[in-house]
Amino acid sequence: MYEKLDNPVYHSLNEHHKKFCLNFGDSKFYNPEVAAFGGSSEVAKEKDITEYSKICDDFLIFGAKPYGNFEKELSQLVCDQYVLENKIDLDFTEKIDLLREENNEELLHFIKKFYPHYFKNRTPELGRYFGIFKDNKLVAVTGERMQMNDMTEVSAVITDTDYLGKGYAKQLVAFVSGKIFEDNKTPFLHVAETNTGAKKLYEKLGFHHRGTINLWGVKR
């Protein structure tokens, strides 16, 4: 049922995110101004990766370990993959705002402060982003990243360190997941295997663990 999640980048670029796709051989890559991710129908080849590295010098390949001889050893990040099959029943106590184009500068500054490597200037184009403001300051966000025709990834679950422990992430994840269900799609997400705190939150909200997926870091 969720076989496409074995290859989420490839299928996203083959479906809903086709407009962001750059094809190199059998591999598909996001426009690097939007996201530094790639994937292949089977195994990404050295030639395809080399071509993409001419325009993006630091990126991730999702799935099977790329084939070839690389000047720099590929780094490996193991992520747990979760799927949500039922809407989260939660009482929302915070005002959650849709972030619009006029919020992009603040959104980019906020996310790059905490996760500078995974967010690009055009990443907000991938989907909707929602935030919680306190005293006119953005203090927590969650949005959508990879998207297929029937599934959308919940991503960028970030809370300012000065506002942790207030349940903002829980409410944002529930809210964004609800929006995805309204689109008649299934929410899924990725979290580093070592991030036990986040995994406990997602499991408590009803996400079920589907398996693990490898992310291979390529640097030119």
Side-chain angles (χ1 to χ4, degrees):
M1 183 177 181
Y2 301 120
E3 290 82 6
K4 286 190 289 188
L5 292 180
D6 293 336
N7 226 332
V9 174
Y10 183 86
H11 289 293
S12 293
L13 289 170
N14 201 44
E15 296 180 3
H16 191 80
H17 278 167
K18 188 177 291 186
K19 65 181 179 180
F20 300 121
C21 180
L22 299 177
N23 290 287
F24 292 104
D26 297 324
S27 301
K28 294 180 181 294
F29 299 87
Y30 274 94
N31 179 322
E33 295 179 356
V34 180
F37 302 144
S40 176
S41 57
E42 294 183 2
V43 180
K45 297 179 177 63
E46 180 182 2
K47 180 180 178 182
D48 305 341
I49 290 173
T50 299
E51 288 300 308
Y52 185 63
S53 68
K54 293 178 181 177
I55 59 171
C56 185
D57 57 10
D58 188 353
F59 55 95
L60 294 169
I61 300 291
F62 279 65
K65 186 175 183 178
Y67 175 80
N69 296 311
F70 300 95
E71 288 185 19
K72 296 182 179 179
E73 185 177 353
L74 304 183
S75 61
Q76 181 183 12
L77 173 64
V78 180
C79 283
D80 283 295
Q81 190 179 74
Y82 285 86
V83 176
L84 184 67
E85 295 185 331
N86 299 296
K87 190 173 181 179
I88 299 167
D89 184 15
L90 187 70
D91 291 328
F92 295 99
T93 59
E94 298 297 330
K95 183 177 183 291
I96 295 175
D97 293 302
L98 171 66
L99 302 181
R100 303 184 184 278
E101 187 174 350
E102 57 264 31
N103 302 117
N104 276 359
E105 185 176 346
E106 186 174 8
L107 172 63
L108 287 165
H109 177 77
F110 178 81
I111 292 186
K112 287 183 177 182
K113 179 179 176 182
F114 300 101
Y115 289 92
H117 302 298
Y118 296 113
F119 218 78
K120 307 299 180 183
N121 288 339
R122 290 180 57 194
T123 296
E125 296 179 27
L126 293 177
R128 297 165 295 191
Y129 285 81
F130 298 87
I132 294 173
F133 289 84
K134 294 296 175 182
D135 299 321
N136 295 316
K137 174 187 174 184
L138 184 62
V139 299
V141 302
T142 298
E144 301 167 327
R145 190 167 63 177
M146 288 182 276
Q147 295 197 51
M148 296 165 235
N149 293 338
D150 53 353
M151 290 179 275
T152 297
E153 181 190 25
V154 178
S155 184
V157 182
I158 305 171
T159 300
D160 189 310
T161 52
D162 293 334
Y163 293 84
L164 294 173
K166 299 180 183 295
Y168 295 166
K170 177 172 68 174
Q171 294 196 49
L172 281 164
V173 170
F175 188 87
V176 173
S177 297
K179 291 295 183 183
I180 294 169
F181 279 123
E182 289 175 9
D183 296 335
N184 294 314
K185 294 186 177 186
T186 299
F188 69 99
L189 57 80
H190 296 101
V191 57
E193 190 178 43
T194 56
N195 193 345
T196 55
K199 291 194 291 185
K200 287 180 180 178
L201 169 63
Y202 301 141
E203 290 166 5
K204 187 174 182 180
L205 288 172
F207 283 84
H208 75 259
H209 183 248
R210 180 176 178 269
T212 60
I213 188 167
N214 290 307
L215 282 60
W216 302 96
V218 181
K219 289 189 177 183
R220 187 169 61 192

